[in-house]
Amino acid sequence: MTTRTWESLTIPAAGAYNLDAAHTTIGFVVKHMMVSKVRGRFQTFNGSVTIAENPLESSAQLTIETESITTGAPDRDGHLRSDDFLSAEKFPQITFKSTRVVGHSGDEFTVVGDLTIRDVTKEVELTVEYGGAGTNPWGQAVWGFSITTEFDREDFGLTWNQALETGGVLVGKKVKIEIEGEANPAA
């Protein structure tokens, strides 16, 4: 991989890169019963990043297959795919398309873009931590990243819930997204 130095970071050369699905995890965390957290992930997705000459003009897009949600509990996964939540049959994909990079500090970038869930599109802000670039033992160029964001699921029409006898609700409103991954030069 060709790299370059930009503001004391060694970053990939300008160009198109695809997410490496074998080395990328798209996870989420939601409060359960107001006392614990449930973690899950999406198993099927594709995405790309275009790194511009000026990295602050870069862009990214991601498509996630809603049917691929898994939390390790088949009954819960079925409920999450149902009309109560993702309605995977009607809305088979979640998408994200960046609109701009609004700033950076060191290896951390703030990226704004449009997130679409159940045909509802809202602007979200991502914190993107650049992890570095290198070549793996098989000669393939890679660069890594960590991404986090948080949003209110009800903003996207995911309003199902159940009141608890002890007060509060079964499912928290806030969803935290955690993505760990790698990207490779597009062929």
Side-chain angles (χ1 to χ4, degrees), residues 8 37 39 41 60 72 74 88 98-99 108 115-116 121 128 138 140 144 151-152 158 167 175 187:
S8 75
K37 295 176 182 175
R39 293 183 179 275
R41 65 187 177 96
S98 68
T99 55
E108 192 171 282
L115 177 64
T116 302
T121 302
V128 180
W138 301 274
Q140 185 176 38
F151 59 85
D152 185 329
L158 303 170
V175 177

Side-chain angles (χ1 to χ4, degrees), residues 74-102:
D75 288 345
R76 179 173 49 220
D77 295 347
H79 192 203
L80 291 172
R81 291 182 190 107
S82 78
D83 289 342
D84 285 343
F85 288 97
L86 293 174
S87 195
E89 204 169 289
K90 290 180 200 164
F91 306 105
Q93 297 179 328
I94 295 170
T95 62
F96 174 80
K97 183 171 177 32
S98 68
T99 55
R100 63 197 179 281
V101 179
V102 295

